[in-house]
Amino acid sequence: MHFHCLVIEGVFEADASGAATFHESRAPDQKLLDEVQAKVRRRLLRALTRRGVLEPEDAETMANWAHGGGFSLDASVRIEGTDRPGLERLLRYCARPAFALERWREIDAEHLVYESIKPGPGGSVSLMLTPLELIERLAALIPPPRRHRHRYYGVLAPNAPLRGQVTALAGVPDGTPAADATGSIAAPIVTPSRSSEGTEEAPGEAEAILRRAARYAWALLLARIYEVFPLVCPRCGGEMRIIAFITDAGAVRDILTHLGEPTSPPRLMRARAPPLWEMQGATLGEDEAQAQSVPEYEFDQRIAW
């Protein structure tokens, strides 16, 4: 169990006018990292003891273990604020999945092999699993319901007052008034611009244009992470755009009928036993097998997934 954390090496401060100023901190030394590691270990063991996961005697024993008590902290990677490609590579590394599909290969129907680039505890790079063992390991990676996988703290938190200014300054190039040589950052200045008809746009209208353009940022993020652009039509290859969000049930039903799609949800198949139970049921009598048989439905959820 480990976490990938990106920490801003400094603090943002709001002046009297509300503009954000950045104060860079010194690089952390090993003594500071050891203090953070000890604090994390102490608080985590205390939380596990309070929730009844660990006995107090076991928590005290783990706290006195050598080599950090099983906890480690690495802060050797540092990305400059102007190194946007380097920051993107680091974020892609942190957001990558736990395994790569291209490293899986199937020996037969009951044996799968995963080739890792790093050796395991025994020095082997190959891991052999059965399909059920693979599903068991994948199920452990699924986060609990309504639990975010990525969290933002401090000035990057969703409700932070300075979040808008800090994120807007991420793409400001060097040499602009918003970022001077001393490292201090001021709020961006929105000046009136002229539209294609020659009329001058107010700052509020310019901000509205930026907000409309930001709606498509999710598509660019998906393209960078999964290398698939979701706004490209799979049929003609043209660019798709959002026209409207239809929530009226009658309008949705009419559109589905026009497209020839079903207007009612499919009937889902009831929960079924694991394959091992089916093999055990094969030895039952004919009457017992018919009693445990599953009725057929219009939609088989096993095929869909």
Side-chain angles (χ1 to χ4, degrees):
M1 177 70 69
H2 65 280
F3 295 91
H4 292 157
C5 304
L6 272 71
V7 183
I8 300 177
E9 203 167 36
V11 295
F12 287 90
E13 180 187 15
D15 55 14
S17 62
T21 303
F22 180 70
H23 301 279
E24 184 177 357
S25 63
R26 61 181 178 87
D29 51 10
Q30 189 60 39
K31 180 181 179 181
L32 179 59
L33 297 180
D34 294 340
E35 294 177 358
V36 175
Q37 176 180 333
K39 182 182 295 185
V40 171
R41 178 184 59 195
R42 182 174 63 254
R43 291 186 176 183
L44 183 57
L45 293 178
R46 186 189 307 166
L48 295 178
T49 304
R50 185 171 59 252
R51 298 187 180 187
V53 181
L54 279 178
E55 297 294 335
E57 297 79 8
D58 296 335
E60 184 177 358
T61 302
M62 294 179 62
N64 297 324
W65 280 355
H67 306 291
F71 292 82
S72 61
L73 175 64
D74 178 76
S76 59
V77 179
R78 187 177 188 272
I79 303 296
E80 296 291 339
T82 56
D83 187 8
R84 309 305 296 179
L87 180 60
E88 181 177 347
R89 288 193 301 270
L90 181 61
L91 289 172
R92 289 171 66 98
Y93 171 80
C94 296
R96 67 178 184 176
F99 60 91
L101 292 177
E102 57 269 13
R103 296 177 187 166
W104 283 105
R105 59 186 178 92
E106 180 180 0
I107 298 180
D108 50 44
E110 294 298 329
H111 296 88
L112 303 172
V113 176
Y114 184 76
E115 302 291 346
S116 178
I117 59 176
K118 296 182 179 180
S124 175
V125 295
S126 300
L127 177 64
M128 181 175 295
L129 299 173
T130 64
L132 291 180
E133 291 175 343
L134 174 61
I135 294 177
E136 180 183 4
R137 297 204 175 198
L138 293 180
L141 300 177
I142 300 177
R146 296 174 295 276
R147 197 64 73 84
H148 295 286
R149 295 185 57 199
H150 303 86
R151 297 178 179 270
Y152 299 87
Y153 298 92
V155 73
L156 299 179
N159 295 328
L162 298 179
R163 176 187 170 97
Q165 298 186 33
V166 173
T167 56
L169 293 172
V172 176
D174 295 338
T176 59
D180 54 22
T182 60
S184 61
I185 302 178
I189 301 176
V190 180
T191 57
S193 59
R194 295 185 177 275
S195 61
S196 57
E197 290 81 5
T199 59
E200 190 174 90
E201 296 178 355
E205 297 179 359
E207 183 178 357
I209 294 176
L210 295 178
R211 290 181 179 271
R212 289 198 298 268
R215 293 179 181 177
Y216 293 92
W218 62 271
L220 298 178
L221 293 177
L222 288 178
R224 291 193 175 193
I225 295 176
Y226 300 105
E227 299 181 355
V228 175
F229 194 66
L231 295 181
V232 175
C233 178
R235 296 183 178 180
C236 65
E239 182 180 359
M240 297 186 296
R241 60 187 180 91
I242 300 175
I243 300 177
F245 292 93
I246 303 175
T247 58
D248 181 67
V252 172
R253 189 179 298 107
D254 295 339
I255 294 176
L256 293 177
T257 303
H258 175 73
L259 296 177
E261 300 291 340
T263 58
S264 59
R267 298 178 60 185
L268 297 180
M269 185 178 180
R270 293 189 304 176
R272 56 184 293 272
L276 294 180
W277 289 99
E278 290 183 354
M279 296 172 58
Q280 183 179 4
T283 60
L284 299 177
E286 182 178 356
D287 296 336
E288 297 179 352
Q290 291 180 358
Q292 295 185 1
S293 62
V294 180
E296 295 183 357
Y297 287 83
E298 298 177 359
F299 179 75
D300 191 344
Q301 192 174 8
R302 294 173 298 176
I303 301 177
W305 289 101

